[in-house]
Amino acid sequence: DFKRKENIDKWPKSHIDVKFKERRVKANAWDYNDRFSYADNRIKTSKYNIFTFLPINLFEQFQRVANAYFSVLLILQLIPEISSLSWFTTIVPLVFVLVITAVKDATDDYFRYKSDQQVNNRQSQVLIRGSLQNEKWMNVRVGDIIKLENNQFVAADILLLCSSEPYGLCYVETAELDGETNLKVRQALTVTSDLGDISKLMDFDGEVICEPPNNKLDRFTGTLYWKGNKYPLDNEKMLLRGCVLRNTEWCFGMVIFAGSQTKLMQNCGRTKLKRTSIDKLMNTLVLWIFAFLICMGVVLAIGHTIWETYVGTNFRVFLPWDTFQISAVFSGFLTFWSYIIILNTVVPISLYVSVEVLRLGHSYFINWDRKMYHSPMGTAAEARTTTLNEELGQVEFIFSDKTGTLTQNIMVFSKCSINGQMYGMDRLKKKTACVDFSFNPLCDRRFKFFDSSLVEAIKMEDPAVQEFFRLLALCHTVMPEEKSEGNLVYQAQSPDEGALVTAARNFGFVFRARTPETVTLCEMGRTVTYQLLAILDFNNVRKRMSVIVRSPEGQIKLYSKGADTIIFERLDPSSENLMYTTSEHLSEFAGEGLRTLALAYKDLDEDYFKVWMKRLLFASTVIENREDQLAVLYDEIELGMKLLGATAIEDKLQEGVPETIACLNLADIKIWVLTGDKLETAMNIGYSCNMLRDDMNEVFVISGHSLQDVAKEHILGLSRVSSAGHVEKTDAFADDSVFEEAIIAEYALVINGHSLAHVLEPQLEHILLDLACLCKTVICCRVTPMQKAQVVELVKRHKRAVTLAIGDGANDVSMIKTAHIGVGISGQEGMQAVLASDYSFAQFRYLQRLLLVHGRWSYFRMCNFLGYFFYKNFAFTLVHFWYGFFCGFSAQTVYDQWFITLFNIVYTSLPVLAMGLFDQDVNDQNSLRYPSLYKPGQQNLLFNKRQFFLCTLQGMATSFLLFFIPYGAFPLMVKEDGSPFSDQQAFAVTIATSLVIVVSVQIGLDTHYWTAVNHLFIWGSLMVYFAILFAMQSDGLFGIFPSSFPFIGTARNCLSEKSVWLVVLLTTVVCVMPGLVVRFLRVDLFPTLTDKVRRLQQSRKKQGPQEQNLRRVRRTSSRRSAYAFSHQQGFGELITSGKNIRRSTVSSLCSPERIAQSHSSSWIENMLKRKNEVSCASPESEGGAPKSVKGTVCMDPTDQAQF
Amino acid sequence: MMASSYSAKDEDGHITVSGPGGGTLRNKKPENTAFKQQRLPAWQPILTAGTVLPAFFIIGLIFIPIGIGLYVTSNNIKEFEIDYTGDDTSSPCYNCAQNFSWNNTKSCTCIIPFQLDQPYESNVFMYYGLSNFYQNHRRYVKSRDDSQLNGNIDSLKKPSKECEPYASVDNKPIAPCGAIANSMFNDTLKLFYNDPNGTSVPILLTSTGIAWWTDKHVKFRNPGGNNANLTAVFQGTVKPVNWHRPVYELDTDPENNGFINEDFIVWMRTAALPTFRKLYRIIQKNNNMAPTLPRGNYTLVVDYNYPVRSFEGRKRMILSTISWMGGKNPFLGIAYITVGSVCFFLGVVLLVIHHKYGNRNNSANISN
């Protein structure tokens, strides 16, 4: 107490230091905590409020180059000496743009505000003045003690004090933080774990001194000072905001960090703004256009200087120089700026807005697509970023996660081989009826099996079959939960185990309950309790797990399951024949891409077991080399087993994965699988997705552990591929058959995380890239999230290709953020990936539609749009340039100022928007049917610098004709009443009318898909043009503002003349004709695939919709062996320690037979330590170097946070 | 790092979308409308030989006759032009041009005889043409006050800044202000027919009906209405510097005086190009039997007031008849004939190319 007083006294001087170096929080002491002014638990992700919106938003908007540029223009226009255009020609579009953007920003922010509100108003139970009161989340303060209930979100970062579970344990799901769905254990300090009632908690006045807020999810260091003692605190005692409490009735915790200072919120970095390559190109082009603009300005300014020198000085009789105009050169200088103003429309402000509108529209089309809607989950595809759509049409590399993306992460027991007899049907032939499990009241109704002969065998009480399922029911580390009679829920550490136990359950060997030393089964309706003598747990080296049980009859048995190769080595010679049959079956299973396990058992002699057990107990008390000694003992007893059979578990692929991959391959998209899974599993999935095939020329597996190894393997691979490629290339001309071979020459590369760490070093990364790009398939396994990002970065850096990363879990976030486009699978795992992603949908197969249909269309539309847009603006603006030569380079505009103001935003914006939104060259079915249509996007063919030049050239030519045809026709033009109309205003109206008609015809030619909307917009725009033209030049408007509408009556006088229409007609035909000829010749002589498909599409239109030819992918693999376990350490120790079993009594805890008792006090630390090792070092299943410094270094810190 | 885009709103796992739409996309099946599914019925034109080639032939076949028609019409128009700038010593106006001074109050007159080889039927239009005169220069074009010209009293007293330096003299506003008005063409052209019997008959030149109706009746109005006493209304303003008479003395006819004087209106409609012609007078056809201007000798009498020599400008007087398509202008006719022929020719070329090399069976060879 004295110490605390001292602190309080000291506070005024040092609180600032304290705040930055450490954090002091005292339970139930608001006065004390308030002094530090810690953040409260209110969060705010919205940017503005009602009052700050306008200034902040405007400030942000003017930071954009385009807006700033137009403001500068506006200022220039306000200088009367320079102003060649009225201010409204710029301010109208600028305001229009600013308003649209502001509305969008405001809506976005409003939704952020709403969701903030929703989170802030969640209820939480806070201990206030001796009772629990409901408080809103935002009112929770640091130092509060709050109560959490099962399935509740944790409101802030809290220190776990006590829970409903024994030992202050509680379980949390951290899916929202790191994407892991499996449960994690947290344990309170022993001293606080019995604070379970409110009065005790009220009196709790411990003070926590800990690190200041940071964003490290896996680390926490602090100390609890209570009752004069110090207790160290670490991450295992913290519940972080965003976690969900599971399997724990309630728990109490003390708030340490709140609101914006929680680890979760500290991690809410702003996502980097991604720009598309078209964006970048557009920026470059805009710069070029600026340069071009300045060139034109300079040319015209020089022209002006010359003109003023030779002509203008003489013409001063009628047009004196302004007083400030000291010389012709100065006049030229001013003219330069004037021309910058009138020629600025080559970079129209509406370009940027229109592009945004298009992208927004395309995003909506993605959101609205029913063919990307996953009905079982009720999830529609979602474009979370609206700025990347056209890049979807240019993807060259896809980096895919495996679990949850390619596979469903659902394991299904699909086949088995028992005593040489295979059960289970081919899963493709699902016509066979599902097995009826009604005989078994405890069965899981979701379980399906397609071979009734197995049930018959069970009913016949075939001993082998019984033993097989008994093994499955006994040999595992699953925790059962029986909420009501018969309603069993298994908490399995890996989905494989869950699948096996569930299978046993359905076949009548129901695993019902376990205590640390017993396992209770319900065998065909009969409750049998086995005594659990030992669990020989799984690890990566052993690749098997065993249990030793004593049956009620007193017989001691060892049941073992594991990788077939391992089990087969340890079989009794008597099983040899069975081994061969089983082995064949295993090959068959593996060929179907199933994950297999071999099962074996052994009867143990009572005496032998006793001796062994003693040695085991002894070994488990040794401090040094305990692991090794135990391993030796395990090895010893797991010998001479009898084979029972094998199981085959289907790691269910997401629907349509092989077809999608095949289709994307045809579109020249390279798919790399990056997975944290093991080599075997990854390859297995590779085969089942048809990415790896037996007919591939070679599959390189790179799994070296040192730099040299890896380099060697790599160079070897590279030389083989390139030499093969070389030979094939040279022969290709000689022999057709060899040429065929060259085409099918396919290689695959499988590389593991260790090697990857080496390969990613600068000296090898080029070799990796070269080799990988020659391979059809690349699979990287055992990669950390960081490495995933590095691989993506590598390709991004060196290949100039658009990359797409797709994944579903938190471990994919880094990769998703790194890639040009990130796609999140909105599956069962946390929302992490989705939140970091740019697009999300429920199924991998939708990727095909997203890229080949939406992406392609977006790209196609955007390119057409840009091409047309530049064309239109050049045609529009450059007329001024030509006119300059005839008006003394005086920056006189050709058009009416109103026309300049409205041309881009009213007269021509809608048709091109309609084209940009709705155009389709080829419909969606054909886009998917001919994936090659995707290739132009990858090669950047539709809009690039060359295309840009062609567009602008066409625009220039059009502007030239637009000016010079009236120029030729006009000087002598006379109205029917003899009055000439070769005046400027008539000239302006004629050229403007020609221009509007020419660009409308041009957009008509550019539109491939004339919907009603296109018709409406194109014809509508023309009509609006004439309507506005007449309105602007009407008597009424002139009467009100005579100075603003000087064109009064021009349209009437001008457009009533036949000769004007003859000029317009001539101009239109001459402007459009050359383009039409070129286009026709291109289609006729060099048709692209698109042209061909379009024709086909039109000729088939009458025949009705065609059936989509489904690419049925044949799997031809004959690989074998796969091992189906989570690569983490099992739960065995936790089970045998009994800590997680509620019913366990004190006596059982003290049972002398328990194996792990000797070190149970530190089991949690022990386990954590070991798990960290596993994850850091990722020891390869092949054995080899157990630890690699490299591997640890490359770990992403968050990867460890999973534990 | 992993959770770095985590935002609080998503903690409950239900996305409230901040993306497009902002609505909740979850649990909401997109509507099956043709619009949302991008299945709108559409016309999908393809450029085929069947559509493009006929188009070219049709354009050719339409344009050539139009062009011939235009050309013939243009050729039938009679036009006579005479340059009276007078920078040539042989020119009758040489002296006037040489001795021009802004201070001359009395105008210099020159007499130019000319001969018409053909009779001019129907109405004949008399134009004056100026060359190298930059009526389309930006500073010139904007140097006017439309509001003043529309009869606005305030603008009359206080002309717009745009009129500078012709906005005011000695703090008195100029009416009409600005460089355009100031530089108004003020040569007077008179036409005499030299009868073979020796007498010189003046030809009646109509000076009204030469401006656009909208200009005369809407755009230009005298201050205080068209019937007001102009002298009183323009009290307090001064005439433009170059003018000899104030604006209210341009004509004696009150319907053609002040701002609504048609010569003034025609001048104020600035030309698009530095070489231009403006309608000066109309010679009305008076008698159905005789041509308006029979062939013979004529005399043009010019009151030479307008200096163009300093900037190498030219002054012309043009007499012209007109047709349905305006004045004599071979450009359009020739352009139409050319474009029509080119289209037709291109049609033939494309047809040949298509026939020889064209891919008529495109759909057959799609390979994937």
Side-chain angles (χ1 to χ4, degrees), chain A residues 399 401 674-676 753 756-757 760 780-795 797 805 809-819 1175-1176 1178 1190-1200 1202, chain B residues 1-4:
Chain A
F399 299 93
D401 175 42
L674 308 178
T675 172
L756 201 61
L760 288 174
C780 304
C781 45
R782 297 310 288 265
V783 290
T784 62
M786 196 64 173
Q787 283 179 326
K788 288 186 180 183
Q790 283 172 340
V791 171
V792 176
E793 185 65 42
L794 176 75
V795 173
R797 217 173 34 231
N811 53 348
D812 306 313
V813 168
S814 57
M815 150 171 109
I816 284 175
K817 284 193 168 177
T818 310
S1175 86
C1176 292
S1178 345
K1190 276 269 153 46
T1192 323
V1193 169
C1194 291
M1195 278 297 298
D1196 188 289
T1198 42
D1199 196 40
Q1200 291 163 9
Q1202 297 164 9
Chain B
M1 177 184 163
M2 282 220 171
S4 49

Side-chain angles (χ1 to χ4, degrees), chain B residues 56-303:
Chain B
F56 276 92
F57 288 122
I58 289 170
I59 291 175
L61 290 179
I62 291 175
F63 270 38
I64 293 172
I66 293 181
I68 291 171
L70 286 172
Y71 189 72
V72 169
T73 317
S74 174
N75 272 356
N76 287 340
I77 290 172
K78 301 187 184 90
E79 193 176 281
F80 178 81
E81 185 173 311
I82 196 163
D83 187 319
Y84 68 95
T85 317
D87 50 354
D88 192 2
T89 44
S90 60
S91 165
C93 289
Y94 181 72
N95 283 333
C96 287
Q98 288 300 308
N99 302 329
F100 178 80
S101 147
W102 288 105
N103 299 328
N104 281 353
T105 44
K106 207 169 157 275
S107 51
C108 170
T109 307
C110 48
I111 294 159
I112 304 143
F114 65 94
Q115 193 180 10
L116 289 182
D117 298 335
Q118 293 167 318
Y120 281 47
E121 317 277 346
S122 185
N123 287 350
V124 179
F125 296 83
M126 184 178 183
Y127 302 91
Y128 60 88
L130 293 174
S131 299
N132 207 24
F133 192 100
Y134 283 84
Q135 256 207 328
N136 58 1
H137 194 285
R138 178 167 59 88
R139 282 190 292 112
Y140 186 88
V141 170
K142 70 173 187 181
S143 187
R144 64 193 285 163
D145 187 342
D146 278 319
S147 176
Q148 189 192 48
L149 298 175
N150 193 35
N152 187 312
I153 300 286
D154 294 336
S155 301
L156 182 72
K157 302 293 179 207
K158 199 175 172 303
S160 142
K161 279 204 316 295
E162 305 283 358
C163 286
E164 291 293 352
Y166 298 113
S168 56
V169 175
D170 304 331
N171 285 328
K172 282 187 173 171
I174 294 177
C177 73
I180 309 179
N182 186 56
S183 58
M184 184 177 155
F185 180 78
N186 57 0
D187 282 357
T188 312
L189 308 177
K190 287 183 207 117
L191 207 56
F192 295 92
Y193 174 60
N194 300 334
D195 235 347
N197 55 25
T199 55
S200 184
V201 183
I203 292 166
L204 182 66
L205 302 174
T206 315
S207 64
T208 52
I210 57 173
W212 289 4
W213 187 90
T214 45
D215 283 356
K216 170 109 180 169
H217 294 95
V218 184
K219 195 172 179 181
F220 290 82
R221 271 190 306 191
N222 278 321
N226 283 342
N227 298 320
N229 181 352
L230 291 181
T231 324
V233 171
F234 283 102
Q235 198 66 48
T237 63
V238 292
K239 67 177 173 62
V241 199
N242 287 2
W243 286 21
H244 296 299
R245 283 167 294 169
V247 68
Y248 46 86
E249 287 173 18
L250 284 176
D251 201 334
T252 48
D253 177 7
E255 287 296 310
N256 193 27
N257 200 7
F259 290 156
I260 55 168
N261 176 272
E262 292 198 19
D263 284 332
F264 176 65
I265 293 173
V266 166
W267 180 255
M268 292 304 284
R269 183 156 283 279
T270 53
L273 297 165
T275 299
F276 58 89
R277 56 169 70 165
K278 285 179 186 286
L279 186 56
Y280 185 66
R281 294 290 182 262
I282 300 171
I283 305 164
Q284 297 285 358
K285 170 181 180 160
N286 42 12
N287 148 348
N288 282 334
M289 302 308 286
T292 319
L293 292 180
R295 48 186 290 223
N297 292 326
Y298 291 82
T299 310
L300 175 68
V301 178
V302 181
D303 284 350

